[in-house]
Amino acid sequence: MGRSPCCEKAHTNKGAWTKEEDDRLVAYIKAHGEGCWRSLPKAAGLLRCGKSCRLRWINYLRPDLKRGNFSDDEDELIIKLHSLLGNKWSLIAGRLPGRTDNEIKNYWNTHIRRKLLNRGIDPATHRPLSESAQATTTISFAAAACSRDQEDSKTDVKSLATPPPTVAVVKKEVEKCPDLNLELRISPPYQEQFYRETTPSGKEELCFDCRLGLESSRDCSCSISSGPKESAAGFDFLGLKSGVLDYRSLEMK
DNA sequence: AAACTTTCCAACCGCGCTTCC
DNA sequence: TGGAAGCGCGGTTGGAAAGTT
């Protein structure tokens, strides 16, 4: 016996919400509060699935939502959180007041991923593309770039994920464009460069922000950039000084 | 101006987890 | 203790809007 459907699909509306539906939902929740999504549609006089009502409320109608563009600070915070948490959008959203998991997820897929690729960072791993591409796709990058006359600076993720038909073919392509330096080491530097020379004999480890190419970030804890600094122990982002992320401290929305 | 392509985001779907009986 | 119900999450889709040819 399978799972029962979340609602009676035959008698529910789907697709975009109307103003009237929104009003009904808001009025009902204002009067009765959130909860019991399954029974809410009927009680509120809505021909909608409970899940749909929940989504609509959480992602669009909640009064505490912050609409509008993401700020640069929010961008960087999302990048940092994603590097720590991965695609845990709800956890990330919990750290961004007024933003929803769905909104952040969409924003990531449409803006930030491209932004990271332009910085030479693999959005999936947060490592330099040269590093993750070394084994298989460094060559494909060059080939792809040649064939496209370098027309776009926005790198399509699909081209990264999909290797070329054969290595031999690709190598030939590379030879056609010998003067192009297509190695995507734009920023941040390769892992070996996560250290910088401080003295002729010494090296200093770069902080997390600098590894991401965010030297100007206020959270930068090494001495690369100017401005106020945290202690030598480093900025305690998300309480990570111990090196262990305590998920219990992450507030859910 | 029309046709076509790309981008963006609201909404849906299915699965996993938790709670309750 | 097991199963059903309910909720929440992440991935995916569909269509409107914007951009390009």
Side-chain angles (χ1 to χ4, degrees):
Chain A
M1 186 175 122
R3 166 182 292 265
S4 65
C6 72
C7 54
E8 183 56 58
K9 297 192 187 263
H11 301 104
T12 55
N13 291 340
K14 288 175 76 173
W17 280 64
T18 65
K19 178 79 172 60
E20 189 189 348
E21 287 177 312
D22 282 350
D23 291 344
R24 274 179 186 268
L25 181 57
V26 170
Y28 183 87
I29 291 176
K30 274 184 180 167
H32 302 94
E34 291 181 47
C36 198
W37 294 106
R38 178 172 276 234
S39 60
L40 184 148
K42 197 177 178 184
L46 288 162
L47 293 174
R48 289 277 180 177
C49 162
K51 282 176 84 169
S52 181
C53 293
R54 178 182 157 271
L55 258 302
R56 184 63 178 173
W57 173 254
I58 287 175
N59 289 329
Y60 202 81
L61 297 174
R62 252 169 48 198
D64 59 326
L65 289 182
K66 188 199 291 184
R67 311 297 301 179
N69 295 338
F70 282 75
S71 67
D72 288 343
D73 283 350
E74 285 177 311
D75 274 19
E76 300 306 337
L77 184 54
I78 291 168
I79 291 168
K80 280 187 204 169
L81 289 168
H82 187 272
S83 72
L84 291 164
L85 304 170
N87 292 358
K88 300 293 177 191
W89 305 116
S90 60
L91 286 174
I92 294 171
R95 290 274 159 175
L96 285 145
R99 301 295 188 185
T100 70
D101 53 356
N102 203 40
E103 191 178 13
I104 293 170
K105 179 174 59 182
N106 282 333
Y107 187 67
W108 175 271
N109 287 328
T110 55
H111 294 92
I112 299 183
R113 205 164 57 165
R114 188 181 307 158
K115 185 173 171 177
L116 288 180
L117 286 168
N118 287 338
R119 285 182 187 173
I121 298 169
D122 183 344
T125 63
H126 293 264
R127 291 161 158 261
L129 280 172
S130 57
E131 189 176 290
S132 52
Q134 241 165 6
T136 54
T137 57
T138 299
I139 297 168
S140 79
F141 247 112
C146 286
S147 63
R148 280 190 254 151
D149 291 326
Q150 314 162 59
E151 93 274 14
D152 53 351
S153 60
K154 52 175 183 179
T155 309
D156 187 353
V157 176
K158 283 173 191 164
S159 72
L160 297 177
T162 312
T166 69
V167 172
V169 169
V170 169
K171 278 180 175 169
K172 225 171 185 179
E173 292 290 326
V174 171
E175 285 165 8
K176 286 180 185 172
C177 312
D179 53 342
L180 289 177
N181 177 8
L182 295 165
E183 193 175 7
L184 292 177
R185 290 185 188 179
I186 305 164
S187 172
Y190 178 65
Q191 187 163 10
E192 284 180 4
Q193 295 166 25
F194 284 168
Y195 296 86
R196 68 166 192 135
E197 304 287 341
T198 50
T199 66
S201 57
K203 286 184 175 179
E204 176 184 304
E205 187 175 6
L206 296 186
C207 72
F208 180 71
D209 292 270
C210 290
R211 290 183 197 182
L212 287 177
L214 308 175
E215 292 87 348
S216 59
S217 165
R218 64 167 178 264
D219 296 336
C220 172
S221 59
C222 65
S223 54
I224 290 272
S225 58
S226 57
K229 292 288 176 299
E230 292 289 329
S231 70
F235 178 64
D236 187 17
F237 179 65
L238 291 176
L240 289 171
K241 272 181 181 171
S242 63
V244 177
L245 176 63
D246 183 359
Y247 281 80
R248 291 166 299 185
S249 69
L250 295 174
E251 215 176 275
M252 296 295 287
K253 54 176 182 176

